[in-house]
Amino acid sequence: MDFEKLEIAANLIRKAKYAIAFTGAGISVDSGIPPFRGENGLWNKMDPIFLEIGYFRKKPLQSWKKIKEIFYDTLGDTQPNIAHEILAKMEKRSFLESIITQNIDHLHQKAGSRYVYELHGTYKQLVCTECGSEFDMSFADLKYLPPTCYICKGILKPDMVFFNEPIPAFAKKRSFEEAGKADVLIIIGTNAEVLPAAEIPVVAKENGAKIIEINIEETHFTREITDIYLQGKASEIMKGIGELLYL
Ligand code: APR
């Protein structure tokens, strides 16, 4: 770990008027959740077709079987790691205003963060494809697939953004507003290769924010917009930042 750069980053956060975080799959790797891309990535284990909205509508049972195996059989037991915890403490101590995340794993909220904008939705909630009612997943019995709506018996869909579905309007609007206000943006564990997520750090940069990036390897952000690149695991780097902020 480069301690000099870590201190510069901690000082920037300490002095910031409006710091925000932008997170991706890499922050949850140390909680045992695989990322999407790369050798151990989800896209090597799961055909993305099961998360395509047209396919889901035509073959909800096939989609649900795979989705249950990959997400619902595993995510409920996962716990936040120290990187999620430090971000939650930063919010409590007013070092951080909000988190914009591409993750659907609900670990930021589990760690105690309150201002979390989920650009790609959440696995935690199910939404009826017929009447639009929303239910916490704990109400659904996934022994019987596909789960159906208690109100109209329509098929329930995970409230995650599927391929060919729009980004939730509120999360998108708030994320871009936050990016416009930020004077420090901390990118943690993301390739951000998909739009509009990829634009968020760029909007912050264009509005004058300093960009701190934490990742085990360089990304297109490192080359294009990052001011301070902290190479390493999110859990280790965030632990270091937490210590420097006396959290
Ligand atoms: N600490 C920090 N960074 C890590 C760690 C770690 N322990 N492990 C992996 N990374 C980094 C990788 O180097 C990579 O840059 O996390 C990133 C994970 O990238 P992706 O798997 O592409 O995940 P993400 O960027 O969140 O994907 C964005 O793509 O398919 C969509 O909807 C999906 O939300 C997802 C979006």
Side-chain angles (χ1 to χ4, degrees):
M1 206 182 317
D2 183 334
F3 288 100
E4 210 173 302
K5 281 213 253 167
L6 199 68
E7 272 192 28
I8 297 174
N11 276 335
L12 270 179
I13 295 168
R14 202 178 287 124
K15 288 187 194 142
K17 290 198 173 66
Y18 207 94
I20 64 172
F22 174 68
T23 66
I27 194 170
S28 296
V29 165
D30 282 346
S31 292
I33 302 174
F36 290 92
R37 295 171 184 82
E39 212 183 306
N40 297 318
L42 186 61
W43 299 141
N44 277 332
K45 285 190 265 174
M46 179 185 191
D47 187 337
I49 191 77
F50 293 112
L51 289 173
E52 200 275 321
I53 191 63
Y55 183 89
F56 180 86
R57 288 210 181 100
K58 269 189 240 138
K59 302 193 170 175
L61 178 61
Q62 280 87 336
S63 270
W64 256 112
K65 279 186 185 163
K66 200 69 188 166
I67 290 167
K68 177 176 178 288
E69 176 197 325
I70 299 281
F71 298 104
Y72 289 88
D73 288 347
T74 57
L75 284 182
D77 292 332
T78 52
Q79 296 303 324
N81 63 60
I82 189 159
H84 300 99
E85 284 161 8
I86 295 291
L87 287 178
K89 284 186 185 169
M90 284 170 64
E91 183 193 289
K92 278 199 189 83
R93 295 271 304 277
S94 303
F95 288 121
L96 191 75
E97 303 299 326
S98 64
I99 300 170
I100 299 163
T101 188
Q102 298 157 90
N103 299 344
I104 52 94
D105 57 27
H106 201 69
L107 290 184
H108 287 302
Q109 292 92 334
K110 236 180 180 176
S113 289
R114 285 181 306 158
Y115 295 95
V116 183
Y117 302 108
E118 295 170 306
L119 273 179
H120 295 167
T122 176
Y123 91 106
K124 191 74 177 70
Q125 186 165 278
L126 305 179
V127 59
C128 178
T129 51
E130 296 293 330
C131 72
S133 299
E134 293 165 350
F135 304 95
D136 189 272
M137 57 150 283
S138 56
F139 290 106
D141 185 352
L142 297 184
K143 269 193 237 121
Y144 306 100
L145 296 177
T148 49
C149 177
Y150 302 105
I151 296 167
C152 76
K153 304 261 184 286
I155 287 171
L156 295 176
K157 172 192 165 291
D159 205 4
M160 324 191 281
V161 177
F162 280 33
F163 291 109
N164 293 326
E165 269 195 311
I167 299 288
F170 177 75
K172 183 177 167 188
K173 179 173 172 284
R174 289 293 299 118
S175 299
F176 278 96
E177 282 168 5
E178 290 296 274
K181 278 197 251 174
D183 57 358
V184 168
L185 181 139
I186 313 163
I187 305 174
I188 310 176
T190 180
N191 283 330
E193 283 177 9
V194 292
L195 291 172
E199 288 172 350
I200 285 167
V202 179
V203 167
K205 177 80 176 182
E206 283 168 1
N207 281 283
K210 290 277 183 206
I211 310 292
I212 299 168
E213 183 182 19
I214 301 168
N215 201 307
I216 51 172
E217 53 191 36
E218 291 189 9
T219 68
H220 66 99
F221 292 130
T222 328
R223 294 177 288 276
E224 290 155 18
I225 59 165
T226 297
D227 295 294
I228 298 161
Y229 173 53
L230 302 170
Q231 184 163 30
K233 288 183 172 186
S235 53
E236 287 167 12
I237 305 281
M238 287 307 294
K239 181 169 180 279
I241 287 183
E243 282 164 7
L244 290 171
L245 295 176
Y246 300 104
L247 297 174

